[in-house]
Amino acid sequence: MIINRHKWSIGRLITFLVLIAGAAIVLVPLLWTVSTSLKSPAEVFQDSFIPKVWHWDNYKNAVTAVPFFLFLKNTLIILVPVMIGTVFSSALCAYGFARFNFKGKRSLFLVLLATMMLPGQVTMIPMFIIFKEAGWVDTFLPLIIPSFFGGGAFNIFLIRQFMRGIPKDLDEAAFMDGASRWSIFTRIMLPLSKPPLIAVAIFTFMGVWNDFQGPLIYLNTNTKYTLALGLSMFKGLYNVEWNMLMAATVLIMLPAIIVFFFLQKYFIEGISLSSAMKG
Amino acid sequence: MRNSRSERAGYLFILPWFLGLLIFTLGPMLFSLVLSFSKWDIITGIGSIEFVGLDNFKAIFHDELFYQSLKVTFIFALVSVPLYQIVSILIALLLNMRTRGMKFFRLIYFMPSIIPAVAVSMMWIMIFNPEYGILNRALAWFGIEGPAWLQDPNYALGALIVMGIWGVGNTIIIYLSGLQGVPEELYEAAQLDGAGAFRRFMSVTVPMISPTIFFNLIMGIIGGFQYFTQAFVMTNGGPLNSTLFYNLYLYNKAFVSFEMGYASALSWILFAIILIFTLIVIRSSSMWVYYNGDDDRD
């Protein structure tokens, strides 16, 4: 493989063409979505790929036809605390598992790993009932509060693996110098664990931005809808106005794509980290 | 450092998780188990739960829609899980080549998997549209008259499987990182032994990335059995229940007809199915998953 690294061969050319074809398959639906979002209603049904006249007002109409900014606000009201809760609480527990010895640690860690296998459907119904009895249905609380209790087994696991790689001498020396365990955690472990913390933050953003079933179950009043839920509502209301529907679709895709392009390094590292579960 | 103060600190740090385990996992699981043996109309409050023994499970095994949703989910899982793995490995192999511009291709291939499922669904509703959707227009160039995809019970499930291929980006990334861990010397040694490209792939690449395949298979099975958003948004189980995924049926029972006991029983059956499939993969893994440093293979 090394031998012909810089040489162009027929095989190499074919691979390149296959890659380009694949990239086209990935991109064409996206570009078509954007192009439809800029078309006039009549042009949606025509064969043109590039709109004859670019109807930017579709976007203006889309954000007023559905209360887009209200949905955005709702999404952010959920997103911000969930990100704080998830990152902080999973780092806390990861530190506990990474650096302390206590009775039952091994079994508790096994329980933690086992919970990753549990399908959410098993706890979905009782959780709904509990939140309903607590009077929390149709508020954002059921979607926010759980993130403060451990932040998810997978996230704890990811951060713990990383923290175990941090030299022990570092925090032990600080401990000898009289630093409290809390300040070791906040001043040494957290700053050193930036890569997995950023990965967890990004995954959490994606998770909330994407979440559909959670808001669908807990939010009934449409002024409380999140963007994901709001978009599906839009489909029901304006089934035929494809240009507007696609404008709304582009608007909900955009933040995810922007986050991805700026933070792709962490994205890809985080995902690679997650597959490092072997052994 | 293991002394009683350090022990206490350890417990304090994991306390949030432990409380979460009790409040949001173990407690609800127990509750769900009780519910699965009960009949309950949610409107009348927790006091009116009526214990019915195995009635829910008996009813489920006579429920046609249960079998239909099981069939849909199994077909989806059995086709899509292996298919997505094969496609992902092949693309990852291509993306693992060292050529200029590869980083750009990696970005493009990965992008679909970050787009929210609802947005992807909207996009594909339009793509699958029989009259002006881009898919059937493209097929028309080749003289093929495309079906009505989402409106045709014979094609709707297939359409969702096809759509899934578009979003395999994060599986690709995981395979890519697996491929990058394969030592170059192994390929060179195999090449010296006269192994062709296919042989090198089968006897070097596949065993070396088998832990990654194992990981992705398990994640794929768990994800496949919980498929929901796309089916809910795009077809809502139709036409003629041809895309009535198990999770969608469970949702309908719980939150549309409010049969909480019945739905809880359904959720335990789902759990059992996922567990069985996961265990099969884990058990079989000793036969085909190789870890670095294990020299006692053969």
Side-chain angles (χ1 to χ4, degrees):
Chain A
M1 300 232 152
I2 280 173
I3 312 162
N4 49 13
R5 191 186 292 176
H6 296 291
K7 246 167 111 191
W8 280 90
S9 59
I10 298 281
R12 195 142 252 218
L13 190 67
I14 291 171
T15 359
F16 221 67
L17 290 176
V18 173
L19 276 175
I20 290 171
I25 291 174
V26 170
L27 288 177
V28 164
L30 285 173
L31 294 175
W32 194 50
T33 303
V34 176
S35 104
T36 307
S37 75
L38 293 166
K39 285 177 178 174
S40 68
E43 208 189 343
V44 168
F45 305 98
Q46 291 163 15
D47 259 334
S48 60
F49 200 97
I50 298 167
K52 287 185 198 88
V53 183
W54 294 35
H55 288 267
W56 290 103
D57 50 319
N58 285 344
Y59 282 84
K60 211 178 79 201
N61 295 337
V63 297
T64 43
V66 270
F68 184 86
F69 291 105
L70 179 67
F71 293 161
L72 178 67
K73 194 183 100 195
N74 293 341
T75 309
L76 292 177
I77 292 176
I78 298 168
L79 180 67
V80 173
V82 168
M83 279 182 85
I84 296 170
T86 304
V87 172
F88 190 69
S89 128
S90 55
L92 208 64
C93 304
Y95 179 55
F97 276 115
R99 278 299 197 261
F100 294 92
N101 277 317
F102 44 85
K103 219 187 275 166
K105 185 169 110 168
R106 274 184 66 90
S107 351
L108 282 176
F109 195 67
L110 277 177
V111 172
L112 177 108
L113 294 181
T115 57
M116 285 201 264
M117 298 281 184
L118 182 76
Q121 285 71 31
V122 175
T123 51
M124 181 173 82
I125 293 163
M127 282 316 306
F128 175 78
I129 293 164
I130 293 167
F131 285 132
K132 192 178 151 63
E133 291 294 313
W136 284 8
V137 167
D138 209 23
T139 73
F140 300 127
L141 292 173
L143 303 167
I144 295 172
I145 298 301
S147 68
F148 284 85
F149 289 84
F154 181 70
N155 295 332
I156 297 176
F157 180 79
L158 204 69
I159 303 170
R160 177 232 184 214
Q161 294 300 87
F162 188 89
M163 283 183 171
R164 275 160 61 99
I166 298 173
K168 257 194 172 146
D169 319 357
L170 248 144
D171 42 321
E172 272 172 11
F175 188 67
M176 294 300 159
D177 286 345
S180 72
R181 294 192 171 86
W182 180 255
S183 65
I184 292 173
F185 170 66
T186 52
R187 294 201 187 154
I188 299 177
M189 294 309 264
L190 281 187
L192 287 176
S193 306
K194 245 187 217 145
L197 293 181
I198 293 174
V200 167
I202 300 170
F203 290 144
T204 309
F205 170 84
M206 287 329 230
V208 174
W209 201 256
N210 253 317
D211 188 19
F212 185 76
Q213 203 170 7
L216 177 69
I217 289 170
Y218 288 113
L219 306 174
N220 309 326
T221 318
N222 48 23
T223 52
K224 287 178 181 152
Y225 282 1
T226 59
L227 278 173
L229 199 56
L231 185 65
S232 74
M233 185 187 83
F234 194 102
K235 179 201 157 204
L237 283 178
Y238 301 92
N239 217 346
V240 278
E241 297 187 49
W242 287 99
N243 49 349
M244 300 242 298
L245 184 58
M246 288 303 116
T249 303
V250 170
L251 285 177
I252 191 177
M253 277 180 191
L254 219 52
I257 293 178
I258 290 170
V259 167
F260 169 63
F261 269 96
F262 282 104
L263 301 172
Q264 29 149 321
K265 186 182 142 232
Y266 299 102
F267 243 108
I268 291 171
E269 262 173 29
I271 288 185
S272 310
L273 268 177
S274 67
S275 67
M277 282 180 75
K278 48 196 175 188
Chain B
M1 12 172 178
R2 177 164 178 177
N3 52 52
S4 65
R5 278 195 63 187
S6 155
E7 271 209 324
R8 233 189 32 223
Y11 285 129
L12 279 178
F13 275 106
I14 67 159
L15 189 64
W17 168 74
F18 189 72
L19 288 177
L21 178 76
L22 295 181
I23 305 170
F24 299 115
T25 308
L26 295 182
M29 278 177 80
L30 200 70
F31 189 9
S32 166
L33 199 62
V34 173
L35 275 175
S36 69
F37 296 108
S38 324
K39 189 173 153 63
W40 183 41
D41 173 11
I42 189 162
I43 298 143
T44 47
I46 282 185
S48 63
I49 294 180
E50 185 194 338
F51 190 74
V52 293
L54 287 171
D55 280 8
N56 286 328
F57 291 93
K58 279 184 204 152
I60 285 173
F61 290 108
H62 289 101
D63 179 350
E64 253 176 62
L65 286 181
F66 163 74
Y67 288 108
Q68 174 63 18
S69 69
L70 212 54
K71 193 178 113 190
V72 168
T73 309
F74 268 92
I75 293 174
F76 181 78
L78 289 177
V79 176
S80 73
V81 174
L83 180 71
Y84 296 168
Q85 304 309 310
I86 293 168
V87 171
S88 303
I89 292 177
L90 291 179
I91 296 174
L93 279 174
L94 294 177
L95 291 176
N96 195 34
M97 295 203 337
R98 275 170 251 170
T99 323
R100 216 176 296 155
M102 204 47 92
K103 230 180 142 185
F104 174 70
F105 280 118
R106 285 179 192 167
L107 275 184
I108 290 179
Y109 281 88
F110 184 62
M111 206 163 54
S113 61
I114 54 144
I115 294 171
V118 173
V120 171
S121 303
M122 293 299 167
M123 202 177 90
W124 282 84
I125 290 174
M126 197 176 65
I127 292 171
F128 283 132
N129 188 290
E131 289 106 50
Y132 50 85
I134 203 167
L135 184 60
N136 280 4
R137 283 184 189 173
L139 288 174
W141 292 344
F142 302 99
I144 302 166
E145 198 190 327
W149 299 106
L150 298 174
Q151 287 79 38
D152 185 335
N154 296 316
Y155 285 92
L157 183 57
L160 293 180
I161 294 174
V162 168
M163 181 181 94
I165 297 179
W166 189 77
V168 292
N170 52 12
T171 318
I172 296 174
I173 296 289
I174 297 176
Y175 278 120
L176 197 57
S177 75
L179 285 174
Q180 284 168 351
V182 183
E184 197 84 35
E185 304 92 77
L186 287 179
Y187 288 115
E188 285 163 19
Q191 200 157 20
L192 286 179
D193 286 346
F198 183 70
R199 187 68 210 275
R200 286 203 298 275
F201 174 72
M202 291 311 285
S203 32
V204 178
T205 312
V206 171
M208 289 304 289
I209 63 164
S210 57
T212 314
I213 300 178
F214 173 67
F215 175 82
N216 281 336
L217 265 183
I218 291 192
M219 299 314 274
I221 290 168
I222 294 176
F225 278 104
Q226 299 186 67
Y227 194 80
F228 178 79
T229 304
Q230 294 87 332
F232 181 90
V233 175
M234 295 175 73
T235 57
N236 202 9
L240 298 174
N241 295 320
S242 62
T243 60
L244 185 70
F245 282 83
Y246 194 94
N247 197 6
L248 192 58
Y249 184 52
L250 199 163
Y251 169 85
N252 286 340
K253 278 291 172 192
F255 299 103
V256 178
S257 53
F258 293 110
E259 295 172 53
M260 291 296 179
Y262 195 87
S264 295
L266 282 174
S267 75
W268 280 93
I269 295 173
L270 175 70
F271 186 23
I273 294 170
I274 293 180
L275 205 63
I276 289 167
F277 272 85
T278 316
L279 284 178
I280 291 173
V281 176
I282 292 175
R283 275 291 157 85
S284 78
S285 69
S286 63
M287 293 188 296
W288 59 271
V289 177
Y290 301 106
Y291 289 104
N292 276 342
D294 274 2
D295 283 321
D296 51 350
R297 49 179 124 145
D298 277 15

